[in-house]
Amino acid sequence: MTEFTPLLNSNITAMAPDKLLGFQEKVRDIPDLVRLTLGEPGFDVDERIKKAAINAVEQNRSHYSESQGERVLREAAVTYFNNTYHLNYTDERNVIVTSGVSEAINVVFNTLLNAGDGILIPEPAYGPYFSSIKLARGERITIDTATNNFKLTPQMIIEAVKNATVPVRAILMNYPTNPTGVTYSREELEALITVFKQENLWVISDEIYSVLTYNQEHVSLAELLPEQTIYINGLSKSHAMTGYRIGFILAQADVIQQMQKVHGALVFAVPTVIQDAALVALRDVQDTPLAMRDIYQHRRDFIVAQLEALDFDVVNPEGAFYVFAKLPADLGEDGDAFALKLANEGKVAVIPGSGFSDSAKAYIRISYAASDDVLKEGMARLKKYVDKLRER
Ligand code: PLP
């Protein structure tokens, strides 16, 4: 018998493992661990949404949906996003319903990028983007925003394009930003747009945390630059529906038509039962996200105060549910080692900054999506651990 020689896709084998998931693996089996790692809302799904899912099952909504998404859900998405963020999409031809924002990102990258094309990523950024760029055979071009309190400036984009060694096709915006909580005002976005136009860039805007913007209006790039923007949003964070896996891509109809080829090939369609639940979320459940936002804001204030009392350096997050904190100088600069020891000895899990940017090694990301009790316990343990380190 001839022996089978496994040949794998070299693009995939060359891909670095996802650091975010990798760290969670490392701490998976630690007993009695308070986990402040995942962006997993500590809320149950609204009863009205649950009922819609149950009804859909009972009504035998068990058949394939239209690949692009149920028409009624796409219409509801246009209405919801147009009304909430002053967008101007025409109709259901502007929408694809995806299996979470995760799929949306992969659909968009695979549609816009030719092999070797560059995409600008303001970093620190959500780690899985890096794998998705690889998957699409694109080139990640890092823009390090650490020098400006994690805020992208027009000049940074101009520099990055000038120094690029590959054709630069797109920029990936994500605000409020995971992991820093930074967001942008209308004026700041308008300044960025001038450069997006000048450099002829596709703007991919992942606005999954838009509802969780504190004390200011969320302004969408799809309002300001609709012809060049691919708008992405979803229900994981706004409606605490992470496990339902619902996302949306909104863009000009001709671009959506091209993206639909990729979506059709990847998943064919999102489960019909889940789409029925999503329809109720968009149409009828607009109060719950705002109530959750107020609770998150409280948690943010609590956690920032606790971290500052321990001398961590924190840029106050204006949105999302993460704090990106720099280790105090006396605790060193190695966020990976700190996070691992904190998990093993202090029994609190946070994510090392290196999962979001190569230059953020001295940082940790703490998710305050967890419940109040879990957060209080986590911060008490962090304090105890840091106090003990300082006694040594
Ligand atoms: N984009 C960002 C910036 C995120 O932080 C996350 C999840 O944490 C996702 C996308 C994934 O979202 P979804 O659950 O819709 O796939």
Side-chain angles (χ1 to χ4, degrees):
M1 220 203 299
T2 52
E3 229 172 76
F4 174 62
T5 314
L7 277 178
L8 299 175
N9 178 336
S10 57
N11 184 44
I12 303 298
T13 52
M15 208 152 128
D18 187 319
K19 282 201 171 176
L20 240 158
L21 298 177
F23 184 79
Q24 309 214 88
E25 271 297 297
K26 277 189 196 157
V27 300
R28 196 188 55 192
D29 296 329
I30 298 177
D32 181 34
L33 185 67
V34 171
R35 292 168 202 276
L36 306 180
T37 44
L38 270 182
E40 177 69 87
F43 293 101
D44 291 330
V45 170
D46 188 282
E47 288 300 325
R48 292 164 284 183
I49 301 172
K50 286 195 218 171
K51 279 215 176 79
I54 292 165
N55 277 344
V57 171
E58 288 180 347
Q59 301 292 317
N60 295 313
R61 297 272 294 146
S62 51
H63 305 285
Y64 286 127
S65 139
E66 200 180 328
S67 175
Q68 198 168 330
E70 291 285 292
R71 188 180 172 126
V72 60
L73 177 58
R74 285 185 283 133
E75 284 166 352
V78 169
T79 304
Y80 174 79
F81 292 114
N82 275 355
N83 290 347
T84 313
Y85 299 112
H86 317 293
L87 314 185
N88 233 335
Y89 291 108
T90 316
D91 56 35
E92 88 291 345
R93 287 170 301 177
N94 296 112
V95 186
I96 302 175
V97 180
T98 59
S99 184
V101 165
S102 305
E103 192 228 335
I105 296 284
N106 287 294
V107 166
V108 173
F109 287 177
N110 278 288
T111 310
L112 300 187
L113 301 177
N114 287 306
D117 277 349
I119 172 165
L120 302 171
I121 311 285
E123 296 180 24
Y126 176 58
Y129 293 148
F130 310 148
S131 306
S132 295
I133 294 170
K134 268 275 187 186
L135 207 55
R137 292 177 156 76
E139 293 288 331
R140 163 183 167 195
I141 302 175
T142 294
I143 301 181
D144 189 356
T145 60
T147 50
N148 188 44
N149 282 339
F150 304 117
K151 225 170 215 189
L152 180 70
T153 63
Q155 195 54 36
M156 287 178 187
I157 306 171
I158 293 168
E159 287 290 314
V161 173
K162 200 170 75 190
N163 295 330
T165 52
V166 291
V168 185
R169 295 271 288 176
I171 182 163
L172 178 63
M173 295 293 291
N174 164 231
Y175 66 96
T177 307
N178 176 5
T180 57
V182 160
T183 195
Y184 295 87
S185 67
R186 184 176 290 273
E187 292 69 31
E188 287 166 334
L189 290 171
E190 277 166 355
L192 294 172
I193 279 171
T194 308
V195 183
F196 298 155
K197 285 187 187 161
Q198 214 170 284
E199 302 294 348
N200 206 24
L201 298 172
W202 278 112
V203 181
I204 305 161
S205 198
D206 175 354
E207 300 181 23
I208 189 170
Y209 294 102
S210 54
V211 168
L212 305 178
T213 304
Y214 308 123
N215 295 332
Q216 58 182 297
E217 180 200 17
H218 174 84
V219 180
S220 176
L221 280 163
E223 176 198 343
L224 303 180
L225 190 63
E227 62 284 5
Q228 234 164 295
T229 298
I230 313 293
Y231 175 79
I232 302 177
N233 213 323
L235 302 183
S236 284
K237 317 293 175 175
S238 62
H239 290 73
M241 288 169 67
T242 46
Y244 282 61
R245 314 302 306 126
I246 281 279
F248 303 95
I249 306 172
L250 285 91
Q252 302 308 311
D254 53 341
V255 183
I256 286 288
Q257 231 176 40
Q258 299 303 319
M259 293 195 179
Q260 171 52 31
K261 297 177 191 167
V262 182
H263 168 69
L266 279 177
V267 302
F268 183 69
V270 169
T272 317
V273 166
I274 298 298
Q275 292 194 56
D276 285 5
L279 179 63
V280 168
L282 287 184
R283 271 192 184 164
D284 305 334
V285 184
Q286 293 173 17
D287 45 351
T288 313
L290 299 178
M292 290 195 278
R293 180 187 63 192
D294 292 343
I295 296 171
Y296 286 133
Q297 191 167 350
H298 252 94
R299 291 179 184 165
R300 175 200 65 175
D301 294 344
F302 164 74
I303 205 160
V304 167
Q306 297 275 311
L307 286 167
E308 285 183 342
L310 291 172
D311 286 334
F312 281 84
D313 192 3
V314 176
V315 176
N316 198 26
E318 301 163 311
F321 39 47
Y322 309 103
V323 182
F324 206 55
K326 189 172 188 187
L327 297 181
D330 62 329
L331 300 185
E333 296 213 317
D334 188 346
D336 292 86
F338 179 86
L340 202 56
K341 281 190 105 175
L342 175 65
N344 279 301
E345 295 173 24
K347 303 288 183 195
V348 192
V350 300
I351 303 272
S354 65
F356 308 93
S357 153
D358 291 339
S359 70
K361 289 194 167 51
Y363 287 78
I364 53 171
R365 187 197 75 176
I366 302 180
S367 163
Y368 53 91
S371 71
D372 284 340
D373 288 347
V374 170
L375 265 187
K376 273 200 190 115
E377 179 61 21
M379 294 315 284
R381 290 185 187 191
L382 174 69
K383 179 173 177 354
K384 201 167 146 197
Y385 177 71
V386 169
D387 285 348
K388 218 161 92 190
L389 284 183
R390 286 183 167 145
E391 275 166 20
R392 278 180 197 166

